[in-house]
Amino acid sequence: MSDQDRKPFYITTAIAYTSSKPHIGNTYDPVLADAIARYKRQRGFDVYFQTGSDEHGQKIQLAAEKEGISPKAYVDRVSGQIKAVWDSLDIACDRFIRTTDADHEKAVQAIFKKLYEQGDIYKGKYEGKYCVPCESFFTPSQLVDGKCPDCGREVSDASEEAYFLRLTKYQDRLLRFYEEHPDFIKPDSRRNEMVNNFLKPGLSDLCVSRTSFTWGIPVEFDPGHVTYVWLDALSNYITGLGYHPDGSGPLYHRYWPAALHVIGKDIVRFHTIYWPIILMALGEPLPEQVLGHPWLLFGEDKMSKSKGNVLYADELAARFGVDAVRYYLLSQIPFAQDGNITYESFIAVYNADLANTLGNLVNRSVAMAGKYFGGTVRRPKETGAGPDAELCAAAAATVEKLADAMDVWHNADALGSVLELAKRCNKYIDETAPWVLAKSEESRPRLEAVLYNLLECIRMLGVMLLPFLPRSAEKILAQLGISGDLASYDALVFGEAEEFTVGAPEPLFARIDADKILAELAAEKEAAAKAAEASAKAGNAAGIVSLPQIGIEDFARVELRVARVIACEPVKKAKKLLKLTLDDGSGTPRTVCSGIARWYKPEDLTGKQVVLVANLKPAVLCGVESQGMILASSGTDAEGNESVRVLFTPDAAPGDQVR
């Protein structure tokens, strides 16, 4: 059957943001999508699977500036890390798109221009609250306790010229679409959230350009603006197929609309409100379904580098095996509830499911076939009653359960049904006791039938596991001497194999000594802590004090501005303090106290330009309210005495942002 004769199935993941190397929670999208894509290929669909990296925005620009490299160099490195992690987990995509790809950038510029020319994008001014880590604007009413409703971080006032997408124009149309397509968003709870929290209260038009940073796709007809993140990033789902407003390529016509977008629950709003409206405005069909999956937590907490509770999938795969990581991700996250992971839970699941249940079943069944029949086991003329019939029925039922679960993306339930069949096979061994049958020559026909039933079930297990654990499934089938048609989905019928010629048993999953591994991990953590401590001590010895590392999101919360000292005087009753009156470009003088009187006289500072921490909470120092702080370096002079030097910026203007 040619591709043109098969039904197309286009599946995508949310593209990974290039802020840092992805942790194991970030890998659930591509692993889940990969399993679905492999399953659909098994079922005869013409599958196109796209994932990739999101590479523009203010966070990226700030991170690159911090490292002293270009944004392109920064995203090249991190995107490479993302792709390497995906590859380490056997994620077989048809395209890994980058939003810095030339075809994507050209198509986004054309999309922006088309929407502007037809009146769906207009020029205005944004005034409101902005969250740098999320790169999102919010109205005051959308904030939660004055903070970002998505990440809970502080927001800052923002005011700048911008282009806006008319979400309000399409709000009612989108709500009708929801009503006409009740399965558009899964799980149902996510749809209810979008309707009740966003659509019914009323949408605000969406900011789709920025002028306060430069790292983005320039607006073709207004180069002072760059395309804002969501119009840029979301468009990848069609630009990756060759979409262009002036004429799209064959891949687009073949595969769009997408059958499924696989995304995390935290970005459902962007994919089920912004993205459908963009497509409506373009006159293009909407995707068939959006799956907003839950999170993988570390224990009970969301993974965070600052909390030190981050696990990396490639490191787990290197220690425990690729399929062990895939199995945990695909089996331990319920459809509508968050899953969790710790080293202890990972090892426990590995030993119970993979080593004890699946691995032990395959190993001892293949070993018995080799021991008792020289490796060749033939199909009996008929299936026996009792345990034989029950095992046959269990195998047939598992195929149906697997299909039912995967048709609605319940991957954990699908894998659970496969594992239950493996458990039933182990029970069958206990029921039939092949080692007892082997003692009697008269029982050899019965023994051969028992072993055939076991090997046939294992063949079916191998075929069913191919989408989920591709490496292990291929090893299972290889040990049974199975390939070709018998390894296809269509052969998932008990009794299809006429005979098995098995090879030597090869352990699939060696049992993990939990105490040993946990001790090794603890020792590695302790060694890393000691190394960090030694590094800090070395720095201290050189007069350098090292503080705990922070992320770019922490740095982005600090507002640094240039300010001119218009007046300076000592603070009464405080020998160390100077009171500085600053022009910070706002038009209102600002008072700051600084403990630098030992090193500077008022006349040394008056008229100079300094760097101000503008968003520091006010504090009263010796009766004077200090509204920020100025930056200075501290160290020692040639004689070993403490030395403080204020950071001056003579070439900047008051109010300029310092990055």
Side-chain angles (χ1 to χ4, degrees):
M1 184 184 297
S2 68
D3 285 351
Q4 293 302 314
D5 296 326
R6 296 184 295 153
K7 184 178 179 180
F9 183 88
Y10 178 38
I11 182 170
T12 75
T13 73
I15 50 178
Y17 197 56
T18 48
S19 56
S20 60
K21 177 182 175 180
H23 58 65
I24 191 169
N26 304 136
T27 64
Y28 183 57
D29 273 17
V31 170
L32 173 56
D34 180 74
I36 295 172
R38 289 174 183 268
Y39 173 76
K40 286 294 185 179
R41 290 192 192 102
Q42 246 192 347
R43 298 298 305 270
F45 285 77
D46 174 20
V47 175
Y48 195 89
F49 170 27
Q50 179 171 294
T51 184
S53 54
D54 177 7
E55 303 183 14
H56 292 126
Q58 187 175 17
K59 279 193 295 184
I60 300 298
Q61 185 168 316
L62 290 173
E65 290 174 354
K66 185 179 180 181
E67 291 193 14
I69 60 176
S70 70
K72 185 59 165 64
Y74 183 90
V75 298
D76 283 348
R77 184 188 74 210
V78 180
S79 180
Q81 291 176 332
I82 294 168
K83 183 63 164 59
V85 173
W86 281 199
D87 289 343
S88 75
L89 295 174
D90 290 342
I91 294 163
C93 61
D94 294 284
R95 178 170 181 180
F96 185 93
I97 191 173
R98 300 178 57 185
T99 55
T100 54
D101 289 343
D103 61 335
H104 171 79
E105 291 190 341
K106 290 179 181 178
V108 168
Q109 287 183 315
I111 289 170
F112 197 109
K113 186 178 181 181
K114 176 178 179 175
L115 295 178
Y116 176 75
E117 290 178 344
Q118 66 188 35
D120 286 311
I121 285 179
Y122 64 93
K123 196 172 190 177
K125 185 176 182 181
Y126 183 83
E127 294 188 45
K129 302 296 182 178
Y130 181 64
C131 176
V132 173
C134 292
E135 300 202 43
S136 295
F137 292 100
F138 300 98
T139 64
S141 63
Q142 291 174 317
L143 303 179
V144 178
D145 297 327
K147 298 180 179 179
C148 173
D150 291 336
C151 71
R153 296 182 176 92
E154 299 288 343
V155 295
S156 57
D157 292 327
S159 178
E160 64 182 92
E161 181 183 81
Y163 287 92
F164 294 84
L165 176 67
R166 298 185 190 275
L167 298 185
T168 50
K169 175 181 175 181
Y170 294 93
Q171 169 178 305
D172 293 340
R173 180 177 167 184
L174 181 59
L175 191 56
R176 288 195 302 272
F177 179 85
Y178 280 14
E179 293 169 351
E180 295 167 0
H181 301 82
D183 292 329
F184 175 59
I185 308 172
K186 287 294 182 180
D188 293 343
S189 58
R190 310 273 189 260
R191 182 189 66 246
N192 296 336
E193 180 185 355
M194 296 303 105
V195 171
N196 296 326
N197 295 358
F198 297 100
L199 286 175
K200 286 187 176 180
L203 298 175
S204 300
D205 290 345
L206 177 67
C207 176
V208 291
S209 80
R210 300 292 305 279
T211 59
S212 57
F213 61 90
T214 58
W215 180 238
I217 301 173
V219 176
E220 189 177 17
F221 55 86
D222 197 349
H225 291 253
V226 296
T227 306
Y228 191 42
V229 58
W230 291 111
L231 184 62
D232 172 8
L234 290 167
S235 296
N236 91 88
Y237 303 125
I238 54 177
T239 64
L241 295 174
Y243 171 83
H244 195 283
D246 297 334
S248 302
L251 284 179
Y252 181 78
H253 293 297
R254 173 68 178 161
Y255 292 106
W256 191 260
L260 184 65
H261 289 323
V262 178
I263 61 166
K265 65 180 183 179
D266 53 328
I267 53 174
V268 169
R269 169 164 55 99
F270 309 109
H271 285 78
T272 60
I273 294 179
Y274 301 169
W275 179 225
I277 287 177
I278 291 170
L279 290 167
M280 286 177 177
L282 290 171
E284 301 297 330
L286 272 59
E288 294 176 11
Q289 198 167 73
V290 177
L291 173 60
H293 64 73
W295 287 333
L296 180 65
L297 307 177
F298 184 88
E300 300 299 323
D301 295 327
K302 188 177 180 181
M303 290 190 196
S304 166
K305 292 180 182 178
S306 62
K307 294 180 180 179
N309 63 355
V310 172
L311 299 179
Y312 293 99
D314 55 339
E315 295 175 4
L316 281 173
R319 187 183 292 272
F320 301 111
V322 173
D323 281 350
V325 178
R326 288 178 63 103
Y327 180 82
Y328 194 95
L329 289 170
L330 295 170
S331 68
Q332 299 302 304
I333 302 179
F335 182 69
Q337 300 177 7
D338 293 335
N340 66 79
I341 185 172
T342 62
Y343 277 113
E344 290 83 354
S345 66
F346 185 95
I347 293 171
V349 169
Y350 176 101
N351 281 339
D353 293 358
L354 298 180
N356 292 355
T357 299
L358 181 62
N360 186 46
L361 168 67
V362 176
N363 188 266
R364 62 177 175 164
S365 297
V366 171
M368 286 189 292
K371 180 179 179 180
Y372 300 137
F373 292 94
T376 299
V377 176
R378 296 175 179 82
R379 181 176 59 200
K381 293 182 179 180
E382 59 183 27
T383 302
D388 293 9
E390 293 173 8
L391 185 66
C392 179
T398 301
V399 176
E400 292 183 8
K401 291 177 182 178
L402 173 72
D404 290 343
M406 289 303 292
D407 285 347
V408 291
W409 326 126
H410 287 216
N411 49 282
D413 293 339
L415 266 178
S417 66
V418 176
L419 188 71
E420 285 301 313
L421 178 59
K423 291 179 178 178
R424 183 63 187 86
C425 288
N426 282 317
K427 181 182 178 183
Y428 178 78
I429 293 175
D430 294 336
E431 293 171 335
T432 57
W435 53 89
V436 175
L437 295 173
K439 294 179 180 180
S440 170
E441 187 66 27
E442 295 178 355
S443 300
R444 283 187 63 81
R446 175 58 182 159
L447 175 61
E448 185 172 25
V450 167
L451 292 180
Y452 173 87
N453 292 339
L454 283 170
L455 297 177
E456 179 67 341
C457 275
I458 292 171
R459 178 188 69 84
M460 295 176 69
L461 286 170
V463 174
M464 288 187 283
L465 286 172
L466 278 169
F468 309 98
L469 315 180
R471 294 191 187 188
S472 300
E474 288 170 0
K475 288 180 180 178
I476 290 172
L477 295 174
Q479 289 193 53
L480 301 183
I482 296 298
S483 61
D485 291 343
L486 286 175
S488 69
Y489 188 91
D490 291 339
L492 282 177
V493 178
F494 191 91
E496 281 290 291
E498 292 185 8
E499 68 175 30
F500 295 96
T501 301
V502 305
E506 297 180 11
L508 291 172
F509 303 99
R511 184 173 175 80
I512 297 172
D513 185 331
D515 291 340
K516 179 183 178 183
I517 290 294
L518 292 174
E520 290 176 358
L521 291 167
E524 290 172 7
K525 186 176 181 180
E526 183 180 358
K530 288 182 178 179
E533 184 180 356
S535 177
K537 288 181 178 178
N540 291 338
I544 301 171
V545 178
S546 297
L547 297 174
Q549 290 185 335
I550 63 173
I552 185 62
E553 67 274 8
D554 298 305
F555 177 76
R557 293 172 62 187
V558 182
E559 183 182 357
L560 301 177
R561 298 278 177 186
V562 174
R564 184 170 63 87
V565 182
I566 56 180
C568 183
E569 61 182 326
V571 176
K572 297 178 180 180
K573 300 179 181 181
K575 296 181 179 181
K576 297 181 179 180
L577 290 180
L578 293 178
K579 183 176 82 171
L580 292 79
T581 304
L582 304 177
D583 172 14
D584 63 0
S586 67
T588 303
R590 181 192 290 249
T591 299
V592 170
C593 293
S594 180
I596 55 175
R598 179 179 167 185
W599 298 276
Y600 289 90
K601 298 177 181 178
E603 55 266 32
D604 297 331
L605 298 170
T606 303
K608 299 291 181 62
Q609 293 187 164
V610 298
V611 178
L612 167 71
V613 181
N615 61 339
L616 188 69
K617 289 182 180 179
V620 178
L621 304 176
C622 295
V624 180
E625 184 180 69
S626 180
Q627 302 164 332
M629 65 179 293
I630 63 171
L631 295 190
S633 64
S634 64
T636 55
D637 59 21
E639 298 178 356
N641 300 314
E642 185 181 8
S643 175
V644 171
R645 301 175 182 86
V646 173
L647 180 62
F648 295 117
T649 56
D651 298 327
D656 284 355
Q657 186 176 4
V658 179
R659 299 177 176 178

